[in-house]
Amino acid sequence: MSIFSKLMEKPWLAQPEGMDPSLLQPAATYWPARIALRFFLATVTVIFLLFIMTMLGRSQMGDFHALAGEPWLPFDRPVQLWWNTGILLLSSLAMQVGLWLARKDQLQASLLAVMLAVLFVLGFMLAQWYVWQQLALAGFGLTTNPASSYFYLLTAVHLAHLLGGVVALGALLQRYWRQQGSDRIVASLTLCTTYWHYLFGIWLVLFALLTSSAGTIDSLAALCGF
Amino acid sequence: MAIAIIILLLIIGTVIFHFISPWYFTPLASNWSAIDNTVELTFWITGIVFVAVNLFLVYVLFRYRSRPGLKAEYEPENKKLEGWLTLATTIGIAAMLAPGLYVWGQFVKPPDNAIQVEAVGQQWHWSYRFPGEDGVLGKVDTRLVREDNPFGIDPTDPAGQDDILIFSNELVLPLDQPVKMLLRSKDVLHNFTVPQFRVKMDMVPGISSFLWFTPTRTGVFDLMCEELCGIGHYAMRGRVVVKEPDEFKRWLARQVTFAQTQSRSAGDAALGRAQYMVCAACHGPQGEGNEGLHAPRLAGQDLWYLQRQLKNYQHGVRGTTEGDVFGGQMIAMANLVSDEQSMQHLLAYIGSLPEPARAKADGDLRRGQQLYRNCMHCHGEQAEGSFHMNAPRLAGLEPWYLSRQIVYFRDRVRGGHPDDFYGAQMSLLVQSLRSEEDIDDLVAYINSLQPAQLARRD
Amino acid sequence: MTQTAIAEHADEHHPTSFVSKYIWSQDHKVIAIQYSITAIFVGLVALVLSGLMRLQLGFPDQFSFINPESYLQFVTMHGMIMVVYLLTALLLGGFGNYLIPLMIGARDMVFPLLNMLSYWTYLLSVIVLLASFFVPGGPTGAGWTLYPPQAILPGTPGADWGILLMLISLGIFIVAFTMGGLNYVCTILQARTKGMTLMRMPLTIWGIFVATVMGLLAFPALLVSAIMMMMDKVVGTSFFMPAIISMGETLDHTGGSPILFQHLFWFFGHPEVYIVALPAFGIVSDILATHARKNIFGYRMMVWAIVVIGLLSFVVWAHHMYVSGMNPYFGFFFATTTLIIAVPTALKVYNWILTLWKGNIQLTVPMLFAIGFIFTFIHGGLSGLFLGNVVIDLPLSDTYFVVGHFHMVMGLSPILVLYAALYHWFPKVTGRMLHTGLGKIHFWTTLVGAYSVFLPMHYLGILGLPRRYFGMAGTDYIPESAQLLNANITVAAIIVAVVQLVFIVNVIISLRSGQKAPANPWGATTLEWQTPDNPPKHGNWGPEAPVVYRWAYDFSVPGAKDDFIPQNVPNSAVEVTDAAAFAEAGK
């Protein structure tokens, strides 16, 4: 039943004597953690969306110089960032494999895949740290230019969310140790995997935006009405 | 029962209050009667709704108050009634919104014949700029602001050379001439509001905002900052004077252009020495001051401040208020240096005098420090003064002089003249000193300060 | 896991020790009480601050401990505490926590541990906020809107430590709110008992539900702006900071946009108004229906209005910025959306009054507060039509009209609802009734007193009195009489503030020796009044969770013997005097 038809119900009308049998059935699958994750992802989406909107707004001030678009700019050919993207992709894939394995009840192999995913994420963090260092060395510090400020800020916020994911995954790993039933592991792992893919998607958006040329950023800003 | 009566009384009280309230719009002084009319219309519509809906509430409360045997009706909804109410509300809303948007349409498009005037806000002062004969305001950049270029005008821009600068909180505007005010700020958010003109707009650092109006009657109007801008917010007052066009033209002709401010010659201390002989009789040969003769110390004071005070004496802005006996004595003295050049020589000489020794002052330094927090923002942490804040140096001034001036400001002996903006501001600011003890402690603390850098500002 | 599974295990989790029962409790009712007490405590702090402000405004030059610096600090802390730490926390953390599981027939929140963490995180944010009173420079005095550049520059009180603690505290609060909010949303969506369809939920739950979803989407804007402002302050980036000469010193910032911050702030700030208002709308609907012994009029319209207001409130934010220097053409759009939102809001008001119409109005203390709310909310809503209409905002923005308006609509009105709710549910929470006589004294003085505080403020604003002014002296256009009016407002405000002590005394007396409350003293239909124990015990429902057979507003149903039928009573169990009429009513 769609939300609209639900909202059109007339609740004061009498139900069949005793009880409407359809009401005895649970309305939906009882999985509050998944709903919580969806709402949480909506919240995180708003966070990134607003950061991006402010960046587009800020980009229309004269002192904003995009980090790509000209050969001498640091992200004109962002080789290192492509590597980092690959690492994060591997992490996401490892999570997906871990989930498949867990669903097939191969918990040992699944554990291995999840550990790999964590390793890749940690690797991604180090690699991002390396990018920061390179960027600073190239003369694009935190306060050099709003574009570089946004680069550090957005990547840092993204890393913070990844870190949160690792912590949550830590709790999940405990379940492997305690050898809880695979149902609960699969349930939690499904949510973690969703979160992983989501953050990979966010990274792709950030990657595309932060390595855009001035022209691209300007047209995006124009599109958003700035 | 009581609730019905009390709400009825509140309705009646509100309506009566509305009609007898002496606190209502100030008399309009601009073209924006359309705004007043929109407000009036909105008052009628909302007023009728307010009275009607609340009277119905009172009726319902009275009619359906609980009584033995009363039973509520059962009616889940009434589509028809809700539909009519929605329609009526929408019509009422549209009746208010449509004229509002129409008038706003006028506000966003200044007329073509509007003259441009720039107002610049800073903590906690105003200054203004007219475009000069070419009708174009020169480019500005906040980073170019110096003591000899407080507006930050780009010296390389030819359009800026003839810009007319008003170094005062008072702006004069011509009657019946549309004015487009361009607004900017050097530091934080401010807001340009003249209540009688009805329009207002924030002044935002980094961008230029605008508003427009046509003054429709001559007079003097308070200019208020209405966007919180720090502790001096309430004292950031200016004034707009509307004059006949001829008078306005004469006033404008007396003001300096940017080019003129850039070509002023410096004074010569050697020539100033002779002029200082007259001053020395009271202020002492080294400008060290003399309490017995009520002459404050001059050596070490900011020269821009001394110049402002000399001009104030010359123009009757200071020393003319009842009660300011010693200030009155200065008027004749100040008139001895009435031409610009000799004043520059005199100031140059005073600037060359050595820093005198300090007097002593008793007071609770800790309390004084607390009290000084409100002064610090303008006068500086070490009371070293700041040209940009229009705040003179206080460190080194004798305690007796400081406390006397504070009392003068408090009692409006000083700062009461309509053209003494900075004095009037001080009158507002010393309100936070509530007792003689406060003044003593504050003065003692100021006296204990030793600005590390005693370099002169001129 | 299904509901029955929870029920089977419910008995195993009863906490035993004092600490696990009342301190580290995971019971939603205890957490609700913890939230409420903390919120009311900081609310009292903010009340005292407002009294200090009023003293300065009413009687300038009299109080040596109030100077321009401390005045602005009082203004700022009063505003921020009242809006975020009192209203949001009390309505959602307090009433949301207490009522959601009870009203939808759940045994607890779906994530009790997260719920407990939410409270302790909230407490931490309050402690950090209050700590700013004790750091060098004191709390921030930038106004509750915290606009840069002034919020982080010298010349504003607390520009060093105060503002940082404020931003950190807000960040912590947002974390707390997110934890709590996810819990409320998931509980409402997943833990409703059998038969509790969405459209059978009491309006209180609808209000809390929509407000929480809005909070989850709006608070991020505050978080984003706080992070960026903190970076501007601490590491010297230029997100919001243009080139500035501050106190004669040229700063290193260039190119930033202060208006960008305002957009972010109000993208949070306006929905925040409705985050507070919607739960209040819901609560007042239920209280009016219960005490008028009549079904809420136009239940569906009320639900739709809540949803529509929730949606629209995300596209009206810039009506706070008509005179901010943003592109003036935005004014056309935002004035239109703002006035459109008045339509569903007005419909709610009509429906409240139509609920009373042909009712059987019991003038109990909660009912009095609810009726008082209708009156003040009409006033505040109508004065909002002035400010929302862009061109009228020109003379009135930044004056006392604004202060009067938002105190009427967002201060007084939700507070009256909160009191209505406190008087209404106190018997459920404590098992004792609040004293009616004291309650009436409290109500009459609060309503008449607070109305006479905020009504004249509108007129001072029309006159042109600017807000956030430490002193009004030295203008030509403000007559002497304005000062007299200000003094009168202050006296009224102090009286109102003192009368709030009557409420606290009432609570203390009633807790100790109040009349024992029956299980359902108001004859209410909603589930929280149908618990087997009073006050409800851990797990709420004993062995059997309730099953819902009807909506929450079966009052005075024709043909039924009693004038209310609780939600968990099946038709077969209703005592009927006129079977034909009863059957007719169900069609």
Side-chain angles (χ1 to χ4, degrees):
Chain A
M1 201 160 43
S2 84
I3 183 72
F4 288 107
S5 59
K6 265 186 197 167
L7 287 176
M8 295 306 287
E9 269 174 35
K10 293 179 175 171
W12 55 88
L13 297 185
Q15 299 295 340
E17 190 58 25
M19 187 73 197
D20 181 345
S22 72
L23 297 176
L24 287 167
Q25 305 301 321
T29 336
Y30 183 76
W31 193 352
R34 187 173 61 178
I35 299 212
L37 179 72
R38 284 176 184 170
F39 274 97
F40 182 68
L41 292 188
T43 302
V44 176
T45 308
V46 175
I47 291 181
F48 280 102
L49 202 66
L50 288 172
F51 270 126
I52 290 171
M53 291 304 283
T54 63
M55 175 172 161
L56 293 178
R58 184 70 179 78
S59 73
Q60 297 311 295
M61 305 287 168
D63 64 333
F64 186 98
H65 301 294
L67 295 174
E70 303 285 351
W72 57 85
L73 289 170
F75 292 136
D76 195 48
R77 294 182 59 223
V79 184
Q80 182 63 41
L81 287 179
W82 279 112
W83 281 113
N84 295 5
T85 310
I87 301 175
L88 196 58
L89 176 62
L90 284 178
S91 177
S92 238
L93 289 178
M95 283 296 282
Q96 191 63 46
V97 170
L99 180 59
W100 277 329
L101 290 170
R103 280 191 182 143
K104 289 183 183 162
D105 227 355
Q106 298 176 3
L107 289 189
Q108 296 250 316
S110 164
L111 177 62
L112 189 72
V114 172
M115 298 285 272
L116 261 180
V118 173
L119 271 183
F120 280 128
V121 160
L122 296 178
F124 175 78
M125 291 179 182
L126 286 177
Q128 290 286 74
W129 173 256
Y130 174 74
V131 171
W132 285 357
Q133 303 253 304
Q134 292 302 306
L135 193 62
L137 276 180
F140 293 86
L142 186 53
T143 61
T144 315
N145 183 286
S148 57
S149 301
Y150 268 108
F151 182 84
Y152 290 101
L153 174 64
L154 286 173
T155 48
V157 172
H158 181 248
L159 287 188
H161 282 89
L162 278 176
L163 207 60
V166 171
V167 171
L169 206 54
L172 173 62
L173 288 177
Q174 265 197 340
R175 295 199 167 163
Y176 280 99
W177 300 147
R178 286 201 253 122
Q179 309 210 320
Q180 288 185 344
S182 64
D183 281 2
R184 301 194 64 178
I185 291 177
V186 168
S188 304
L189 196 54
T190 309
L191 302 182
C192 283
T193 309
T194 309
Y195 187 64
W196 242 246
H197 296 340
Y198 170 81
L199 283 183
F200 180 67
I202 288 280
W203 166 246
L204 290 182
V205 173
L206 294 183
F207 182 26
L209 183 75
L210 292 167
T211 58
S212 291
S213 67
T216 317
I217 291 181
D218 285 349
S219 18
L220 280 176
L223 208 66
C224 297
F226 288 108
Chain B
M1 197 52 183
I3 180 101
I5 294 170
I6 300 250
I7 289 191
L8 183 65
L9 290 178
L10 285 178
I11 300 167
I12 296 171
T14 306
V15 173
I16 292 177
F17 188 90
H18 176 75
F19 282 108
I20 66 160
S21 165
W23 309 286
Y24 204 67
F25 277 126
T26 47
L28 183 70
S30 78
N31 59 313
W32 287 114
S33 55
I35 293 182
D36 284 12
N37 295 340
T38 318
V39 173
E40 203 63 30
L41 173 74
T42 310
F43 254 122
W44 277 108
I45 296 179
T46 57
I48 290 169
V49 172
F50 175 79
V51 172
V53 174
N54 278 316
L55 280 182
F56 182 64
L57 174 66
V58 169
Y59 164 74
V60 166
L61 288 174
F62 174 77
R63 173 72 179 72
Y64 299 103
R65 67 189 188 280
S66 181
R67 293 183 302 269
L70 183 70
K71 188 164 182 186
E73 221 166 78
Y74 184 77
E75 187 184 27
E77 67 181 22
N78 182 340
K79 280 262 144 284
K80 213 169 157 189
L81 180 58
E82 284 174 301
W84 280 112
L85 285 172
T86 312
L87 187 69
T89 310
T90 311
I91 291 171
I93 297 281
M96 289 182 281
L97 181 63
L101 292 185
Y102 176 75
V103 179
W104 183 250
Q106 297 174 346
F107 179 77
V108 299
K109 275 195 232 103
D112 294 334
N113 63 339
I115 57 166
Q116 293 197 344
V117 184
E118 183 188 63
V120 185
Q122 67 171 90
Q123 284 173 323
W124 288 286
H125 300 286
W126 307 87
S127 46
Y128 313 94
R129 184 160 68 118
F130 286 84
E133 278 175 14
D134 60 0
V136 181
L137 287 163
K139 285 200 195 79
V140 286
D141 186 339
T142 308
R143 278 161 298 192
L144 293 174
V145 170
R146 303 278 182 280
E147 284 192 19
D148 59 358
N149 184 7
F151 284 78
I153 296 170
D154 182 352
T156 61
D157 181 9
Q161 294 298 322
D162 67 343
D163 285 3
I164 298 167
L165 310 183
I166 316 294
F167 298 94
S168 160
N169 286 333
E170 181 175 285
L171 171 68
V172 178
L173 290 175
L175 184 68
D176 290 332
Q177 163 67 50
V179 181
K180 180 182 182 188
M181 298 293 307
L182 295 162
L183 310 170
R184 70 184 168 104
S185 163
K186 289 198 264 186
D187 39 41
V188 302
L189 300 173
H190 299 287
N191 180 298
F192 184 97
T193 302
V194 176
Q196 290 89 339
F197 293 169
R198 300 293 187 263
V199 284
K200 63 163 65 84
M201 190 55 70
D202 277 5
M203 316 169 87
V204 186
I207 66 166
S208 175
S209 51
F210 77 91
L211 53 80
W212 78 270
F213 54 86
T214 308
T216 51
R217 65 184 163 93
T218 57
V220 180
F221 305 102
D222 287 304
L223 168 61
M224 316 288 282
C225 173
E226 298 204 354
E227 183 66 61
L228 180 58
C229 58
I231 65 150
H233 173 50
Y234 73 102
M236 183 170 167
R237 311 280 177 85
R239 193 185 299 145
V240 175
V241 181
V242 177
K243 293 187 172 172
E244 295 291 342
D246 290 348
E247 271 185 88
F248 164 75
K249 271 185 196 135
R250 281 198 294 280
W251 171 83
L252 195 63
R254 285 200 302 274
Q255 311 302 322
V256 291
T257 64
F258 176 60
Q260 284 166 346
T261 64
Q262 297 301 292
S263 60
R264 272 181 188 155
S265 62
D268 182 341
L271 294 172
R273 190 190 169 108
Q275 277 144 345
Y276 185 72
M277 287 305 122
V278 186
C279 318
C282 296
H283 290 280
Q286 298 294 311
E288 68 273 24
N290 185 329
E291 183 175 359
L293 294 169
H294 310 287
R297 173 173 299 171
L298 301 177
Q301 185 50 279
D302 292 320
L303 298 182
W304 60 264
Y305 176 74
L306 294 179
Q307 175 173 347
R308 187 160 83 203
Q309 295 310 312
L310 280 171
K311 288 192 170 164
N312 277 351
Y313 284 124
Q314 288 168 359
H315 299 141
V317 173
R318 190 173 170 189
T320 49
T321 328
E322 197 176 334
D324 191 3
V325 183
F326 311 118
Q329 296 170 353
M330 267 302 292
I331 294 176
M333 301 296 158
N335 280 327
L336 294 175
V337 284
S338 53
D339 72 302
E340 181 74 23
Q341 200 54 54
S342 52
M343 190 188 288
Q344 292 304 327
H345 295 322
L346 173 66
L347 291 171
Y349 178 71
I350 296 176
S352 71
L353 294 172
E355 175 88 358
R358 291 293 179 86
K360 269 202 177 151
D362 292 327
D364 183 342
L365 292 184
R366 278 202 130 173
R367 280 198 71 232
Q369 186 175 14
Q370 277 302 314
L371 292 165
Y372 186 71
R373 294 175 57 84
N374 283 320
C375 320
M376 172 182 89
H377 301 292
C378 294
H379 290 280
E381 258 174 75
Q382 297 297 318
E384 69 275 20
S386 164
F387 169 78
H388 292 284
M389 306 300 293
N390 284 309
R393 186 180 147 171
L394 302 177
L397 282 175
E398 298 101 313
W400 64 266
Y401 179 73
L402 281 174
S403 22
R404 176 183 294 160
Q405 297 306 310
I406 292 173
V407 171
Y408 276 8
F409 283 129
R410 188 191 65 194
D411 300 343
R412 291 224 148 214
V413 172
R414 191 174 167 189
H417 188 282
D419 285 338
D420 189 3
F421 284 101
Y422 307 108
Q425 191 168 41
M426 278 305 296
S427 293
L428 289 172
L429 290 163
V430 296
Q431 274 182 7
S432 58
L433 301 170
R434 320 275 182 178
S435 65
E436 300 302 317
E437 193 195 354
D438 282 358
I439 297 178
D440 289 345
D441 293 344
L442 175 66
V443 167
Y445 178 72
I446 293 174
N447 196 55
S448 73
L449 293 173
Q450 299 277 359
Q453 191 200 355
L454 288 174
R456 285 290 150 56
R457 295 144 183 272
D458 46 3
Chain C
M1 219 187 320
T2 60
Q3 280 294 301
T4 40
I6 298 177
E8 281 158 20
H9 295 293
D11 288 338
E12 296 165 17
H13 298 300
H14 288 315
T16 44
S17 75
F18 177 82
V19 171
S20 64
K21 205 166 175 181
Y22 295 111
I23 309 291
W24 305 111
S25 174
Q26 301 189 15
D27 183 342
H28 71 100
K29 298 184 291 297
V30 179
I31 294 172
I33 294 168
Q34 290 171 326
Y35 250 116
S36 305
I37 291 176
T38 314
I40 290 174
F41 168 74
V42 280
L44 287 175
V45 173
L47 183 70
V48 171
L49 293 177
S50 69
L52 293 172
M53 278 185 303
R54 280 313 319 175
L55 283 181
Q56 166 62 25
L57 291 171
F59 309 98
D61 312 330
Q62 301 288 320
F63 302 96
S64 62
F65 52 91
I66 310 172
N67 55 40
E69 196 170 43
S70 50
Y71 176 77
L72 289 179
Q73 291 169 328
F74 299 158
V75 170
T76 307
M77 297 304 274
H78 166 77
M80 193 61 102
I81 291 176
M82 285 299 194
V83 171
V84 175
Y85 298 86
L86 169 72
L87 287 175
T88 312
L90 188 52
L91 278 163
L92 294 175
F95 285 100
N97 245 320
Y98 198 89
L99 295 175
I100 292 172
L102 279 168
M103 279 190 151
I104 64 171
R107 295 191 174 275
D108 204 325
M109 290 287 176
V110 288
F111 310 114
L113 177 68
L114 200 63
N115 207 15
M116 178 186 84
L117 286 177
S118 166
Y119 168 70
W120 290 101
T121 316
Y122 162 66
L123 183 66
L124 179 65
S125 77
V126 169
I127 292 171
V128 172
L129 182 79
L130 295 182
S132 69
F133 279 100
F134 305 99
V135 294
T140 176
W144 87 279
T145 47
L146 305 178
Y147 282 176
Q150 65 263 39
I152 55 175
L153 287 183
T156 298
D160 289 320
W161 290 102
I163 184 70
L164 284 183
L165 285 181
M166 171 64 84
L167 295 174
I168 292 169
S169 169
L170 285 172
I172 300 173
F173 180 90
I174 293 166
V175 172
F177 178 84
T178 308
M179 291 196 283
L182 290 174
N183 227 332
Y184 309 153
V185 172
C186 294
T187 306
I188 292 172
L189 288 179
Q190 296 254 281
R192 296 195 309 279
T193 189
K194 273 180 216 160
M196 180 63 87
T197 59
L198 284 178
M199 291 306 272
R200 278 181 178 173
M201 295 197 305
L203 286 168
T204 301
I205 300 300
W206 267 109
I208 291 172
F209 176 67
V210 175
T212 309
V213 174
M214 288 171 62
L216 289 173
L217 301 179
F219 271 107
L222 184 63
L223 184 68
V224 165
S225 56
I227 290 174
M228 287 166 69
M229 180 143 73
M230 198 122 66
M231 284 182 73
D232 278 0
K233 167 81 190 159
V234 178
V235 298
T237 50
S238 301
F239 294 122
F240 304 133
M241 301 291 278
I244 283 173
I245 309 276
S246 173
M247 307 281 141
E249 231 177 286
T250 310
L251 305 182
D252 290 333
H253 302 286
T254 57
S257 164
I259 293 185
L260 205 54
F261 175 90
Q262 299 180 21
H263 280 297
L264 277 177
F265 183 87
W266 289 114
F267 186 78
F268 146 75
H270 195 79
E272 166 66 21
V273 173
Y274 289 97
I275 291 169
V276 170
L278 292 184
F281 289 174
I283 288 172
V284 88
S285 307
D286 286 349
I287 290 177
L288 285 172
T290 305
H291 295 264
R293 317 308 299 154
K294 183 161 173 274
N295 65 289
I296 193 81
F297 183 85
Y299 173 85
R300 293 196 299 171
M301 184 64 91
M302 295 300 251
V303 172
W304 301 337
I306 286 178
V307 174
V308 168
I309 290 172
L311 291 174
L312 278 178
S313 70
F314 279 97
V315 290
V316 298
W317 77 88
H319 67 215
H320 298 266
M321 299 167 59
Y322 289 146
V323 297
S324 69
M326 68 172 181
N327 186 338
Y329 283 91
F330 288 177
F332 293 108
F333 174 76
F334 285 102
T336 309
T337 53
T338 302
L339 266 68
I340 289 175
I341 215 173
V343 177
T345 315
L347 284 175
K348 293 195 77 77
V349 174
Y350 302 147
N351 283 4
W352 287 325
I353 300 179
L354 290 172
T355 300
L356 300 179
W357 186 45
K358 297 186 180 173
N360 174 12
I361 300 170
Q362 319 284 316
L363 291 172
T364 57
V365 177
M367 186 61 156
L368 290 178
F369 275 100
I371 294 168
F373 159 83
I374 297 181
F375 177 73
T376 60
F377 187 75
I378 290 173
H379 191 286
L382 290 174
S383 63
L385 290 172
F386 286 75
L387 296 170
N389 202 350
V390 56
V391 81
I392 304 181
D393 193 52
L394 282 173
L396 298 183
S397 176
D398 296 313
T399 68
Y400 266 80
F401 192 94
V402 177
V403 180
H405 160 70
F406 69 65
H407 276 93
M408 196 72 92
V409 81
M410 212 197 164
L412 183 54
S413 298
I415 296 277
L416 288 177
V417 174
L418 280 173
Y419 279 127
L422 286 168
Y423 281 93
H424 182 78
W425 278 294
F426 190 84
K428 177 55 35 183
V429 178
T430 65
R432 288 177 189 276
M433 306 293 286
L434 277 168
H435 190 271
T436 305
L438 287 176
K440 285 192 172 164
I441 295 175
H442 178 210
F443 168 70
W444 289 117
T445 335
T446 304
L447 177 71
V448 177
Y451 189 69
S452 53
V453 168
F454 299 122
L455 173 72
M457 282 189 185
H458 290 81
Y459 290 86
L460 289 177
I462 294 172
L463 176 64
L465 241 71
R467 63 192 279 218
R468 292 169 169 174
Y469 262 41
F470 171 73
M472 307 287 175
T475 52
D476 290 335
Y477 73 93
I478 301 177
E480 288 287 318
S481 59
Q483 186 53 50
L484 191 71
L485 186 60
N486 250 330
N488 278 313
I489 293 177
T490 298
V491 172
I494 302 286
I495 292 173
V496 173
V498 170
V499 162
Q500 306 315 305
L501 292 177
V502 172
F503 173 69
I504 292 174
V505 168
N506 194 349
V507 167
I508 294 170
I509 291 178
S510 303
L511 270 179
R512 293 173 53 149
S513 56
Q515 184 196 338
K516 279 253 190 283
N520 189 357
W522 315 118
T525 55
T526 40
L527 289 182
E528 81 274 22
W529 298 101
Q530 326 302 335
T531 53
D533 308 292
N534 191 37
K537 293 202 170 122
H538 189 74
N540 294 350
W541 304 109
E544 282 286 328
V547 176
V548 170
Y549 296 92
R550 57 188 71 250
W551 71 332
Y553 302 99
D554 267 345
F555 291 104
S556 309
V557 183
K561 180 167 167 282
D562 293 326
D563 67 353
F564 70 106
I565 310 171
Q567 284 190 276
N568 60 345
V569 173
N571 272 356
S572 54
V574 177
E575 280 188 68
V576 179
T577 51
D578 180 347
F582 185 71
E584 183 65 22
K587 282 180 187 162

